[in-house]
Amino acid sequence: MKISDILKKLTKEEVVVHYVTRIIEIIILVAIATIIVYTVYDLIVSIFQGFITEVIGLVGNAFLLVVLLEIYQSIVDFGKGKGRSVIYVMDATISFILREIIIEIFNGSYTYQDLLTYAGLVIVIALGRFLISYRRIYIKRRR
């Protein structure tokens, strides 16, 4: 087999997408494992800092894990060629915004303008997600 044949095979779109998807999956899995280890470490360290500090750390890290898991789902679906990856990214964005809202409320560092901005973002993203989901259901029923 010639080198040019090997290069042609490796540069096919499906092959490139497959390998890049696998690399991104590994990076996200490492990030998820790191957050889990950090959460356990933070839990042990913050025991002596008080209950509220511990809860804030746990909630923030738990929501970060949810965001990373939804991004991971998006990447896996993208690699399989399914079309739900946009919905997973929208879900991850909503989860991240909710995480920020909760952290700001617990820390007491929020302003009403920030909360209204976050609320507007959540509404717009949720509406977009609804329209995408509704369109898919509508198209399936018409077939």
Side-chain angles (χ1 to χ4, degrees), residues 52 55-57 59-60 99-110:
I52 296 298
V55 168
I56 291 171
V59 168
R99 174 186 180 268
E100 292 303 312
I101 291 171
I102 290 171
I103 289 173
E104 284 190 19
I105 289 174
F106 275 145
N107 288 333
S109 62
Y110 67 91

PDB file of all heavy atoms in Angstrom, residues 52 55-57 59-60 99-110:
ATOM      1  N   ILE A  52     -22.339  26.333  54.996  1.00  0.00           N
ATOM      2  CA  ILE A  52     -22.737  27.104  53.817  1.00  0.00           C
ATOM      3  C   ILE A  52     -21.637  27.075  52.754  1.00  0.00           C
ATOM      4  O   ILE A  52     -21.912  26.895  51.568  1.00  0.00           O
ATOM      5  CB  ILE A  52     -23.081  28.562  54.197  1.00  0.00           C
ATOM      6  CG1 ILE A  52     -24.287  28.601  55.122  1.00  0.00           C
ATOM      7  CG2 ILE A  52     -23.324  29.415  52.971  1.00  0.00           C
ATOM      8  CD1 ILE A  52     -25.562  28.061  54.514  1.00  0.00           C
ATOM      9  N   VAL A  55     -21.758  23.718  51.058  1.00  0.00           N
ATOM     10  CA  VAL A  55     -22.902  23.576  50.154  1.00  0.00           C
ATOM     11  C   VAL A  55     -22.663  24.354  48.859  1.00  0.00           C
ATOM     12  O   VAL A  55     -22.944  23.855  47.768  1.00  0.00           O
ATOM     13  CB  VAL A  55     -24.208  24.045  50.842  1.00  0.00           C
ATOM     14  CG1 VAL A  55     -25.343  24.172  49.848  1.00  0.00           C
ATOM     15  CG2 VAL A  55     -24.587  23.085  51.954  1.00  0.00           C
ATOM     16  N   ILE A  56     -22.124  25.573  48.971  1.00  0.00           N
ATOM     17  CA  ILE A  56     -21.856  26.386  47.777  1.00  0.00           C
ATOM     18  C   ILE A  56     -20.884  25.654  46.856  1.00  0.00           C
ATOM     19  O   ILE A  56     -21.092  25.573  45.638  1.00  0.00           O
ATOM     20  CB  ILE A  56     -21.300  27.774  48.176  1.00  0.00           C
ATOM     21  CG1 ILE A  56     -22.393  28.606  48.852  1.00  0.00           C
ATOM     22  CG2 ILE A  56     -20.761  28.514  46.953  1.00  0.00           C
ATOM     23  CD1 ILE A  56     -21.885  29.889  49.478  1.00  0.00           C
ATOM     24  N   GLY A  57     -19.831  25.098  47.428  1.00  0.00           N
ATOM     25  CA  GLY A  57     -18.853  24.366  46.627  1.00  0.00           C
ATOM     26  C   GLY A  57     -19.450  23.140  45.977  1.00  0.00           C
ATOM     27  O   GLY A  57     -19.208  22.862  44.798  1.00  0.00           O
ATOM     28  N   VAL A  59     -22.664  22.501  45.276  1.00  0.00           N
ATOM     29  CA  VAL A  59     -23.657  22.856  44.253  1.00  0.00           C
ATOM     30  C   VAL A  59     -22.963  23.336  42.985  1.00  0.00           C
ATOM     31  O   VAL A  59     -23.311  22.922  41.880  1.00  0.00           O
ATOM     32  CB  VAL A  59     -24.640  23.925  44.793  1.00  0.00           C
ATOM     33  CG1 VAL A  59     -25.473  24.524  43.686  1.00  0.00           C
ATOM     34  CG2 VAL A  59     -25.536  23.323  45.860  1.00  0.00           C
ATOM     35  N   GLY A  60     -21.972  24.204  43.142  1.00  0.00           N
ATOM     36  CA  GLY A  60     -21.249  24.703  41.975  1.00  0.00           C
ATOM     37  C   GLY A  60     -20.573  23.585  41.204  1.00  0.00           C
ATOM     38  O   GLY A  60     -20.660  23.520  39.973  1.00  0.00           O
ATOM     39  N   ARG A  99     -26.299  27.446  37.083  1.00  0.00           N
ATOM     40  CA  ARG A  99     -25.182  27.298  38.028  1.00  0.00           C
ATOM     41  C   ARG A  99     -24.684  28.666  38.466  1.00  0.00           C
ATOM     42  O   ARG A  99     -24.474  28.911  39.654  1.00  0.00           O
ATOM     43  CB  ARG A  99     -24.059  26.508  37.360  1.00  0.00           C
ATOM     44  CG  ARG A  99     -22.801  26.414  38.181  1.00  0.00           C
ATOM     45  CD  ARG A  99     -21.683  25.730  37.381  1.00  0.00           C
ATOM     46  NE  ARG A  99     -20.473  25.616  38.144  1.00  0.00           N
ATOM     47  CZ  ARG A  99     -19.501  26.515  38.139  1.00  0.00           C
ATOM     48  NH1 ARG A  99     -19.610  27.600  37.389  1.00  0.00           N
ATOM     49  NH2 ARG A  99     -18.414  26.344  38.870  1.00  0.00           N
ATOM     50  N   GLU A 100     -24.501  29.573  37.506  1.00  0.00           N
ATOM     51  CA  GLU A 100     -24.025  30.913  37.836  1.00  0.00           C
ATOM     52  C   GLU A 100     -25.022  31.667  38.708  1.00  0.00           C
ATOM     53  O   GLU A 100     -24.635  32.374  39.640  1.00  0.00           O
ATOM     54  CB  GLU A 100     -23.741  31.702  36.551  1.00  0.00           C
ATOM     55  CG  GLU A 100     -22.572  31.181  35.760  1.00  0.00           C
ATOM     56  CD  GLU A 100     -21.281  31.151  36.565  1.00  0.00           C
ATOM     57  OE1 GLU A 100     -20.954  32.155  37.209  1.00  0.00           O
ATOM     58  OE2 GLU A 100     -20.603  30.113  36.538  1.00  0.00           O
ATOM     59  N   ILE A 101     -26.304  31.513  38.417  1.00  0.00           N
ATOM     60  CA  ILE A 101     -27.330  32.173  39.227  1.00  0.00           C
ATOM     61  C   ILE A 101     -27.267  31.675  40.666  1.00  0.00           C
ATOM     62  O   ILE A 101     -27.277  32.465  41.620  1.00  0.00           O
ATOM     63  CB  ILE A 101     -28.738  31.938  38.634  1.00  0.00           C
ATOM     64  CG1 ILE A 101     -28.902  32.682  37.317  1.00  0.00           C
ATOM     65  CG2 ILE A 101     -29.827  32.357  39.618  1.00  0.00           C
ATOM     66  CD1 ILE A 101     -30.165  32.331  36.555  1.00  0.00           C
ATOM     67  N   ILE A 102     -27.212  30.371  40.837  1.00  0.00           N
ATOM     68  CA  ILE A 102     -27.193  29.793  42.186  1.00  0.00           C
ATOM     69  C   ILE A 102     -25.936  30.221  42.942  1.00  0.00           C
ATOM     70  O   ILE A 102     -26.005  30.591  44.120  1.00  0.00           O
ATOM     71  CB  ILE A 102     -27.322  28.259  42.112  1.00  0.00           C
ATOM     72  CG1 ILE A 102     -28.733  27.896  41.658  1.00  0.00           C
ATOM     73  CG2 ILE A 102     -26.996  27.611  43.452  1.00  0.00           C
ATOM     74  CD1 ILE A 102     -28.931  26.440  41.329  1.00  0.00           C
ATOM     75  N   ILE A 103     -24.788  30.196  42.283  1.00  0.00           N
ATOM     76  CA  ILE A 103     -23.555  30.608  42.952  1.00  0.00           C
ATOM     77  C   ILE A 103     -23.618  32.073  43.347  1.00  0.00           C
ATOM     78  O   ILE A 103     -23.230  32.444  44.469  1.00  0.00           O
ATOM     79  CB  ILE A 103     -22.336  30.326  42.043  1.00  0.00           C
ATOM     80  CG1 ILE A 103     -22.094  28.827  41.961  1.00  0.00           C
ATOM     81  CG2 ILE A 103     -21.088  31.035  42.553  1.00  0.00           C
ATOM     82  CD1 ILE A 103     -21.033  28.422  40.970  1.00  0.00           C
ATOM     83  N   GLU A 104     -24.116  32.935  42.458  1.00  0.00           N
ATOM     84  CA  GLU A 104     -24.217  34.354  42.793  1.00  0.00           C
ATOM     85  C   GLU A 104     -25.187  34.597  43.946  1.00  0.00           C
ATOM     86  O   GLU A 104     -24.938  35.434  44.809  1.00  0.00           O
ATOM     87  CB  GLU A 104     -24.633  35.170  41.571  1.00  0.00           C
ATOM     88  CG  GLU A 104     -23.505  35.378  40.591  1.00  0.00           C
ATOM     89  CD  GLU A 104     -23.848  36.373  39.504  1.00  0.00           C
ATOM     90  OE1 GLU A 104     -24.791  37.172  39.681  1.00  0.00           O
ATOM     91  OE2 GLU A 104     -23.160  36.355  38.473  1.00  0.00           O
ATOM     92  N   ILE A 105     -26.294  33.862  43.970  1.00  0.00           N
ATOM     93  CA  ILE A 105     -27.260  34.032  45.070  1.00  0.00           C
ATOM     94  C   ILE A 105     -26.648  33.569  46.385  1.00  0.00           C
ATOM     95  O   ILE A 105     -26.765  34.248  47.410  1.00  0.00           O
ATOM     96  CB  ILE A 105     -28.572  33.296  44.753  1.00  0.00           C
ATOM     97  CG1 ILE A 105     -29.325  34.038  43.644  1.00  0.00           C
ATOM     98  CG2 ILE A 105     -29.445  33.172  46.005  1.00  0.00           C
ATOM     99  CD1 ILE A 105     -30.563  33.342  43.151  1.00  0.00           C
ATOM    100  N   PHE A 106     -25.983  32.413  46.385  1.00  0.00           N
ATOM    101  CA  PHE A 106     -25.336  31.931  47.612  1.00  0.00           C
ATOM    102  C   PHE A 106     -24.249  32.884  48.092  1.00  0.00           C
ATOM    103  O   PHE A 106     -24.091  33.101  49.287  1.00  0.00           O
ATOM    104  CB  PHE A 106     -24.725  30.544  47.403  1.00  0.00           C
ATOM    105  CG  PHE A 106     -25.685  29.407  47.585  1.00  0.00           C
ATOM    106  CD1 PHE A 106     -25.578  28.274  46.796  1.00  0.00           C
ATOM    107  CD2 PHE A 106     -26.690  29.454  48.540  1.00  0.00           C
ATOM    108  CE1 PHE A 106     -26.450  27.217  46.953  1.00  0.00           C
ATOM    109  CE2 PHE A 106     -27.572  28.405  48.697  1.00  0.00           C
ATOM    110  CZ  PHE A 106     -27.454  27.283  47.909  1.00  0.00           C
ATOM    111  N   ASN A 107     -23.478  33.449  47.178  1.00  0.00           N
ATOM    112  CA  ASN A 107     -22.402  34.370  47.563  1.00  0.00           C
ATOM    113  C   ASN A 107     -22.913  35.755  47.914  1.00  0.00           C
ATOM    114  O   ASN A 107     -22.183  36.546  48.505  1.00  0.00           O
ATOM    115  CB  ASN A 107     -21.366  34.490  46.432  1.00  0.00           C
ATOM    116  CG  ASN A 107     -20.527  33.254  46.296  1.00  0.00           C
ATOM    117  OD1 ASN A 107     -20.333  32.519  47.259  1.00  0.00           O
ATOM    118  ND2 ASN A 107     -20.010  33.030  45.099  1.00  0.00           N
ATOM    119  N   GLY A 108     -24.135  36.057  47.531  1.00  0.00           N
ATOM    120  CA  GLY A 108     -24.699  37.378  47.794  1.00  0.00           C
ATOM    121  C   GLY A 108     -24.121  38.446  46.877  1.00  0.00           C
ATOM    122  O   GLY A 108     -24.192  39.629  47.192  1.00  0.00           O
ATOM    123  N   SER A 109     -23.561  38.062  45.768  1.00  0.00           N
ATOM    124  CA  SER A 109     -22.905  39.018  44.867  1.00  0.00           C
ATOM    125  C   SER A 109     -23.739  39.319  43.623  1.00  0.00           C
ATOM    126  O   SER A 109     -23.208  39.753  42.622  1.00  0.00           O
ATOM    127  CB  SER A 109     -21.538  38.463  44.440  1.00  0.00           C
ATOM    128  OG  SER A 109     -21.710  37.251  43.727  1.00  0.00           O
ATOM    129  N   TYR A 110     -25.023  39.109  43.706  1.00  0.00           N
ATOM    130  CA  TYR A 110     -25.879  39.302  42.534  1.00  0.00           C
ATOM    131  C   TYR A 110     -26.465  40.709  42.514  1.00  0.00           C
ATOM    132  O   TYR A 110     -26.568  41.381  43.538  1.00  0.00           O
ATOM    133  CB  TYR A 110     -27.004  38.269  42.506  1.00  0.00           C
ATOM    134  CG  TYR A 110     -28.002  38.426  43.622  1.00  0.00           C
ATOM    135  CD1 TYR A 110     -29.144  39.204  43.457  1.00  0.00           C
ATOM    136  CD2 TYR A 110     -27.806  37.808  44.847  1.00  0.00           C
ATOM    137  CE1 TYR A 110     -30.062  39.357  44.475  1.00  0.00           C
ATOM    138  CE2 TYR A 110     -28.715  37.954  45.871  1.00  0.00           C
ATOM    139  CZ  TYR A 110     -29.837  38.729  45.688  1.00  0.00           C
ATOM    140  OH  TYR A 110     -30.731  38.885  46.697  1.00  0.00           O
TER     141      TYR A 110
END
